[in-house]
């Protein structure tokens, strides 16, 4: 794939400034420039995507903003924030800063902050630094803890896990 | 009595025979257990998934910041403002100004204000002034506004059988994979 390697380089000062709102500036090392725009130069309303309940999609999803999934998608998701709404289904690898699951997920999640809601159903591996699991959530798999630095330096996803 | 009975605040049979000093404890735990429980889903889930509850067709929005490489199929409307490399199928597909689709766009209605590099197959096609169409348009009804750019053929063949009629997504996916 052609768009795997290029990273967004941000001066240290800018990162510091942004880290106030996002708490963790790591996403800018992972996030790609989309439409030629770096991650920090984005509008408030144009970076939220909704994939409706009637939508089925397969492939690679890259965004520097939020992605709400009400429908069913499979493949690879690379977002600042992924929200799987109740009824939403995601299958595949997810790299994000923040993941919230109220629907179904199967695959691998690489995210420092993960929240699984009451209606959430997770199968697979959740690599996290902090995780919240609501009472009633269903989890079948492992939730390996990783330090923040693991996500900051994560460039390529590991092929397999034993 | 098991250890779990003691922890269950709803177990009144167990709480009643307790001495008075202990009776306050189940009340406290009951309050603590129910109060945040009822608050939490409202505070968190309500604004977060507000759009999901609304019945009827919901428009999927591919924002400017989103790039999708792959297939999209929806029984509802799709608004594309970002980039899609692959085929898009929806009820009504709007490709906004600045958006880009590299592939075929299928739909009942397709409105193009951005760029399509591929093909449009739709009953009703609208090319606005900012549209840039690189490829063929297969339609039944077409409107082209001044300023639109088309490099391709416009054929009123939509729904006339053969290859022009909407092939299923599987057939399209099969073509793609065999070509790649």
């Amino acid at each position: 794939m052609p768009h795997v390697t290029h990273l967004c380089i941000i001066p240290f000062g800018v990162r510091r400034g942004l880290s106030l709102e996002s708490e963790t500036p790591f996403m800018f090392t992972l996030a790609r420039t989309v439409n030629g725009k770096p991650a920090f130069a984005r509008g408030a309303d144009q970076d939220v995507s909704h994939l409706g309940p009637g939508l089925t999609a397969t492939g690679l999803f890259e965004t520097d903003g939020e992605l709400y999934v009400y429908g069913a998608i499979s493949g690879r998701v690379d977002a600042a924030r992924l929200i799987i709404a109740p009824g939403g289904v995601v299958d595949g690898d997810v790299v994000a800063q923040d993941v919230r699951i109220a629907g179904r997920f199967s695959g691998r999640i690489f995210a420092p902050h993960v929240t699984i809601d009451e209606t959430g159903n997770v199968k697979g591996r959740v690599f996290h630094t902090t995780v919240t699991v609501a009472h009633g959530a269903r989890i079948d798999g492992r939730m390996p803890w990783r330090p923040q630095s693991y996500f900051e330096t994560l460039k390529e996803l590991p092929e397999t896990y034993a | 009595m098991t250890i779990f009975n003691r922890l269950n605040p709803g177990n009144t049979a167990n709480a009643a025979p307790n001495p008075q000093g202990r009776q306050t404890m189940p009340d406290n735990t009951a309050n603590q257990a129910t109060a945040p429980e009822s608050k939490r889903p409202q505070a968190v889930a309500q604004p977060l998934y507000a759009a999901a509850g609304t019945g009827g067709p919901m428009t999927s929005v591919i924002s400017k910041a989103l790039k999708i490489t792959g297939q999209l199929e929806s029984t509802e409307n799709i608004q594309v403002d970002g980039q899609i490399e692959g085929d898009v199928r929806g009820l009504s597909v709007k490709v906004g100004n600045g958006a880009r689709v590299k592939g075929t766009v299928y739909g009942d209605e397709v409105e193009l204000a951005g760029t399509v590099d591929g093909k449009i197959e739709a009953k009703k096609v609208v090319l606005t002034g900012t549209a840039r169409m690189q490829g063929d348009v297969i339609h039944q009804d077409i409107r082209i506004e001044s300023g639109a750019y088309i490099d391709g053929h416009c054929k009123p063949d939509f729904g006339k059988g053969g290859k022009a009629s909407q092939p299923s997504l599987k057939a399209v996916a099969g073509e793609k994979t065999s070509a790649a």
Side-chain angles (χ1 to χ4, degrees), chain A residues 34-35 46-63 68 70 83 85-86 100 102 117-118, chain B residues 37 40-41 44 48-49 51-52 58 60-76 78 83:
Chain A
V34 175
N35 293 339
Q46 56 184 226
D47 54 3
V48 180
S49 299
H50 292 266
L51 303 181
L55 186 124
T56 313
T58 316
L60 168 68
F61 304 79
E62 293 172 274
T63 179
Y68 283 76
Y70 301 91
I83 295 107
R100 173 158 218 131
D117 284 341
E118 293 93 329
Chain B
E37 201 84 38
R40 208 189 327 126
V44 172
L48 198 55
Y49 313 119
M58 175 189 160
S60 294
V61 181
I62 315 297
S63 81
K64 266 200 169 76
L66 182 61
K67 184 182 173 190
I68 298 176
T69 313
Q71 309 278 324
L72 255 90
E73 187 182 18
S74 181
T75 54
E76 300 152 348
I78 302 177
Q83 293 181 52

Side-chain angles (χ1 to χ4, degrees), chain A residues 26-27 30-31 42 47-52 55 57 59-117 120-123 125-127 130 132 157, chain B residues 44 48-49 61-63 66-68:
Chain A
F26 97 95
M27 58 168 278
L30 265 181
R42 58 181 205 235
D47 54 3
V48 180
S49 299
H50 292 266
L51 303 181
L55 186 124
L60 168 68
F61 304 79
E62 293 172 274
T63 179
D64 295 324
E66 296 183 10
L67 179 62
Y68 283 76
V69 180
Y70 301 91
I73 66 170
S74 68
R76 164 91 189 256
V77 176
D78 205 325
R81 196 165 139 80
L82 170 72
I83 295 107
I84 307 174
V89 182
V90 175
D91 190 352
D93 285 341
V94 171
V95 179
Q97 187 182 23
D98 202 343
V99 176
R100 173 158 218 131
I101 301 168
R104 295 167 71 91
F105 175 84
S106 77
R108 297 186 297 174
I109 293 173
F110 298 83
H113 306 292
V114 179
T115 307
I116 302 168
D117 284 341
N121 187 323
V122 175
K123 205 168 185 178
R125 286 177 171 77
V126 179
F127 294 86
T130 60
T132 308
L157 299 189
Chain B
V44 172
L48 198 55
Y49 313 119
V61 181
I62 315 297
S63 81
L66 182 61
K67 184 182 173 190
I68 298 176

Side-chain angles (χ1 to χ4, degrees), chain B residues 110-143:
Chain B
V110 172
E111 191 181 311
L112 178 61
T115 305
V116 168
D117 194 348
K119 200 162 74 168
I120 293 178
E121 278 193 39
K123 203 177 203 170
K124 198 176 158 193
V125 178
V126 178
L127 302 182
T128 68
T130 54
R132 193 179 165 89
M133 179 65 211
Q134 209 117 31
D136 296 352
V137 179
I138 293 162
H139 60 89
Q140 209 172 69
D141 177 278
I142 191 166
R143 182 156 62 89

Side-chain angles (χ1 to χ4, degrees), chain A residues 129-147:
Chain A
T129 307
T130 60
V131 67
T132 308
V133 180
H135 182 250
R138 217 180 247 215
I139 297 167
D140 180 6
R142 298 187 199 178
M143 305 185 81
W145 180 87
R146 292 289 184 274

